[in-house]
Amino acid sequence: MLVSFKTSADWLANLGNSVHYTDDVALFSVTRRLSLKDDPTQPVVDRPSQGGDFVYDPSATLEWTGKNTLGKLLVAMDAGGYVFAEQSAFSHGLYEFRLAQTFADDSKISLHYNFVPDLFLGKNTLRQVNTQESEHDEILSNHYWSVRLDHPLTRNITVRLLGRYGLRHYNAPFQHRDTQFWTLGPHLEWAIHPGVELLLGYHYERGVADHQKAINVDDDISYVNHYASAELKLQVLEKLSAIFIFDYEKNAYTSQYVNDEHRGASENLFQGEIELLYELDKSATIKLGWQHGSRKLTSEAHSVNNNNIWLGVDYAF
């Protein structure tokens, strides 16, 4: 549910809530955030298939817009989270700050800071050289900063160049997995004609784990990532629209440790999503969605599948 209201001519506040069901709590967050508009890469999840649960998704957004000599300025703060009904250890918050400047020619530059603290990935095994294996909770905090440059080529086509820098900080047993990552990629938005919109994008990303902390641990999750996505929005009927999304991701691990299970391995991910939006009136819209992902690690015999479904209502005032 989303409530939207203006507190003044220059302020906009949004409050929301959605309900999901997932058949894999370990993969839910990284699957839902796999998007050109969010954080498409994710930390390694070594133990998927940890059961299903209902997930509540509250959110709040506060935006301020104003005019300056350059054009239009936007400042926004977003806060939300995933609250798991039964497996509460996987609950966590999602936060973002945005600053965007739009110029007279409709080109735009925007800066984003995104923070996800204390993301629980599940139990994992720590394998140290000449030491007995031990099991620990695996938890990380994720930060990234991004800059996006938008420029309209025509009235209907806009191109975007995105750059990101990020940090993933793990808890003490897994600090050798601390990672820096860099992302670069182009996007294209095309309003084909009224009621038909297309978004295409590609990202190249390089992630490097902290080798200085990998003492007596043959575990290096450094990687090279390729991500591509296509999103099509159709106005099916006067009040009914549909969004179709297809994502592909290849994550190639670059570990040099001979005994590392990630050495020479890569993961291929295919994911599809459909969401139906039905406008009851100008202030209320019903949403129904389904998302299916299939990921296969070359070192594993079988693919891992994940399904998420959701139902909700958005209200705008």
Side-chain angles (χ1 to χ4, degrees):
M1 181 174 64
L2 182 65
V3 180
S4 176
F5 56 91
K6 289 185 177 180
T7 56
S8 73
D10 297 322
W11 289 90
L12 180 68
N14 300 298
L15 303 175
N17 188 32
S18 301
V19 180
H20 306 255
Y21 177 77
T22 181
D23 61 6
D24 193 331
V25 294
L27 294 177
F28 176 78
S29 180
V30 296
T31 303
R32 290 300 297 142
R33 301 191 75 202
L34 186 75
S35 166
L36 291 171
K37 302 173 183 177
D38 205 325
D39 185 9
T41 56
Q42 62 265 316
V44 176
V45 179
D46 288 321
R47 293 191 185 180
S49 306
Q50 297 192 40
D53 203 353
F54 285 95
V55 186
Y56 302 95
D57 177 16
S59 62
T61 299
L62 182 63
E63 294 183 355
W64 176 86
T65 56
K67 293 183 179 181
N68 55 28
T69 56
L70 298 176
K72 180 180 177 181
L73 180 67
L74 168 70
V75 181
M77 293 177 289
D78 304 305
Y82 294 135
V83 182
F84 290 74
E86 297 292 335
Q87 301 203 49
S88 58
F90 289 92
S91 298
H92 61 278
L94 308 164
Y95 308 96
E96 184 169 88
F97 173 80
R98 294 176 283 131
L99 177 65
Q101 176 68 57
T102 303
F103 302 96
D105 62 354
D106 290 330
S107 59
K108 179 172 68 174
I109 181 171
S110 54
L111 305 175
H112 297 238
Y113 167 63
N114 188 283
F115 175 47
V116 180
D118 300 325
L119 172 60
F120 178 62
L121 301 179
K123 296 284 186 178
N124 204 357
T125 301
L126 180 64
R127 299 178 177 88
Q128 294 179 287
V129 179
N130 300 323
T131 305
Q132 185 175 1
E133 296 181 353
S134 55
E135 189 172 77
H136 306 271
D137 289 347
E138 186 177 11
I139 303 171
L140 70 82
S141 292
N142 196 78
H143 308 256
Y144 76 77
W145 297 260
S146 71
V147 57
R148 307 176 192 190
L149 306 174
D150 291 62
H151 181 70
L153 294 180
T154 69
R155 292 181 58 188
N156 299 328
I157 299 177
T158 298
V159 294
R160 174 182 305 117
L161 182 62
L162 176 142
R164 296 198 314 164
Y165 170 74
L167 298 169
R168 297 190 181 108
H169 294 302
Y170 286 76
N171 57 324
F174 299 99
Q175 284 185 338
H176 60 279
R177 288 189 162 191
D178 286 357
T179 304
Q180 299 183 63
F181 58 94
W182 303 264
T183 314
L184 184 66
H187 299 176
L188 183 145
E189 294 182 349
W190 182 15
I192 300 174
H193 58 73
V196 181
E197 300 175 9
L198 179 65
L199 171 63
L200 300 172
Y202 164 78
H203 291 175
Y204 171 85
E205 183 167 300
R206 170 78 176 177
V208 180
D210 192 344
H211 298 284
Q212 294 182 357
K213 297 180 180 178
I215 301 175
N216 297 323
V217 181
D218 290 331
D219 180 27
D220 180 4
I221 59 170
S222 301
Y223 62 88
V224 171
N225 181 278
H226 300 274
Y227 169 67
S229 179
E231 179 177 329
L232 179 66
K233 184 175 182 180
L234 300 174
Q235 191 74 36
V236 181
L237 300 171
E238 181 182 357
K239 294 187 176 183
L240 178 66
S241 59
I243 301 175
F244 303 90
I245 302 175
F246 175 75
D247 301 289
Y248 169 72
E249 186 173 48
K250 181 174 183 178
N251 205 41
Y253 297 103
T254 59
S255 174
Q256 300 299 310
Y257 297 130
V258 175
N259 296 320
D260 189 352
E261 63 180 359
H262 298 106
R263 178 181 169 86
S266 62
E267 183 181 50
N268 288 282
L269 169 63
F270 298 89
Q271 183 167 291
E273 175 180 331
I274 179 172
E275 185 175 51
L276 300 177
L277 307 173
Y278 183 77
E279 184 180 329
L280 293 176
D281 53 40
K282 292 183 178 180
S283 63
T285 302
I286 295 177
K287 300 191 301 183
L288 175 65
W290 172 54
Q291 183 181 58
H292 173 75
S294 178
R295 59 187 69 218
K296 173 68 167 61
L297 192 65
T298 54
S299 58
E300 300 288 342
H302 304 287
S303 299
V304 176
N305 297 317
N306 174 224
N307 291 279
N308 303 307
I309 59 174
W310 60 94
L311 177 65
V313 180
D314 286 353
Y315 291 100
F317 300 94

